[in-house]
Amino acid sequence: MAEPRGPQPRTAEEVVARARRATDLADLDGAVSDCFACPRLVAWREEVAAVRRAAFRQQEYWGRPVPGFGNADARIAILGLAPAAHGGNRTGRIFTGDRSGDVLFAALHRAGLANQPTSVAADDGLALRDTRIFAAVRCAPPENKPTPAERDTCAPWLHREVALVRPTLRVVVALGAFAWAAWWPVLREVYGVVPPSPRPAFGHGAHWSGGGAVPDLLGCYHVSQQNTFTGRLTPEMLDDVFVRAKRLAAAR
């Protein structure tokens, strides 16, 4: 688990200042885990952690923002929307302990990017290879729908995390339209590159390249139950995305 360091950010301005001061990923993860800048999200994550789902009634929930997970020298990044209320908000690790994570980590294992196909707890021995996973919003939002203000308040954490892995990062896989849209401000804030206009449309298998100056961006339907249970996103479709991501990362 990430350990907090320094004062707790409680405003958007304090998030910006604290994110910029993060010296490495451990420092950033600790700061993310101790953020209180969005009152609605703080109230929701703590309520969920106190009430708990019946199946997890005996477990102690994390109930805090969820930091990124994976390698500091990652060539591939996976960008999601936000932690799940009874997944990452319970376990303290992104995409861990929920059905979306079951699908995602099984695919990463098949692609050779994870040492095991399951992710059930923060101490389960899972390790990623050449990959880092993070979310655009770090707290579990009600109905999985952060507001634009919450997205913008949380953005400096994402920007700093990308800046810290920038030397090796070559490909970003955006899980869903929200993550796809969250990537464009990163180009300006981290790379000093003006985002394309109009923005390329999100779609499964969509590919945008900045010509080598910035990471390639791949679109992938989110690994939500709505998508995986209905067959909108199949294991084969997910495998294709990670094969392409590995190929692109190796080519640069």
Side-chain angles (χ1 to χ4, degrees):
M1 296 291 187
E3 292 297 327
R5 304 180 187 181
Q8 299 168 335
R10 293 184 178 273
T11 66
E13 293 76 16
E14 289 174 356
V15 170
V16 171
R18 183 62 185 90
R20 287 175 176 169
R21 291 201 309 272
T23 56
D24 55 28
L25 287 175
D27 186 18
L28 180 71
D29 291 348
V32 167
S33 300
D34 215 25
C35 183
F36 286 80
C38 297
R40 188 182 78 113
L41 298 187
V42 172
W44 174 248
R45 79 194 192 202
E46 293 181 352
E47 177 184 345
V48 170
V51 175
R52 306 176 189 178
R53 178 172 284 173
F56 309 125
R57 188 65 48 80
Q58 303 306 315
Q59 297 184 21
E60 182 177 351
Y61 274 53
W62 172 250
R64 291 157 60 181
V66 181
F69 173 68
N71 307 117
D73 59 351
R75 294 173 64 84
I76 299 170
I78 300 170
L79 177 58
L81 191 165
H86 301 281
N89 189 58
R90 173 172 60 90
T91 63
R93 190 168 69 196
I94 192 71
F95 282 112
T96 296
D98 60 31
R99 294 293 182 87
S100 294
D102 292 344
V103 173
L104 176 62
F105 287 105
L108 290 175
H109 183 254
R110 291 193 299 271
L113 297 173
N115 69 328
Q116 61 189 42
T118 58
S119 182
V120 297
D123 59 354
D124 63 4
L126 175 68
L128 300 183
R129 301 186 181 110
D130 212 21
T131 304
R132 187 158 177 93
I133 305 176
F134 39 66
V137 174
R138 305 304 170 102
C139 289
E143 300 181 350
N144 209 33
K145 294 179 180 179
T147 67
E150 290 162 351
R151 174 203 62 202
D152 294 345
T153 297
C154 210
W157 299 129
L158 171 62
H159 298 165
R160 185 58 181 155
E161 190 154 7
V162 173
L164 289 169
V165 298
R166 175 179 175 174
T168 57
L169 186 60
R170 299 294 179 265
V171 181
V172 174
V173 177
L175 298 178
F178 190 99
W180 180 269
W183 177 250
W184 306 117
V186 176
L187 296 182
R188 188 187 303 274
E189 295 297 326
V190 178
Y191 294 90
V193 172
V194 176
S197 182
R199 302 287 191 267
F202 170 76
H204 185 81
H207 177 205
W208 177 82
S209 174
V214 298
D216 282 33
L217 180 65
L218 290 177
C220 178
Y221 289 147
H222 196 280
V223 287
S224 66
Q225 292 186 56
Q226 181 179 0
N227 286 337
T228 58
F229 282 13
T230 61
R232 186 170 189 242
L233 177 64
T234 66
E236 293 76 17
M237 292 167 65
L238 202 52
D239 290 347
D240 287 344
V241 168
F242 289 128
V243 166
R244 290 180 67 194
K246 289 180 66 175
R247 185 183 303 122
L248 288 167
R252 292 183 54 189

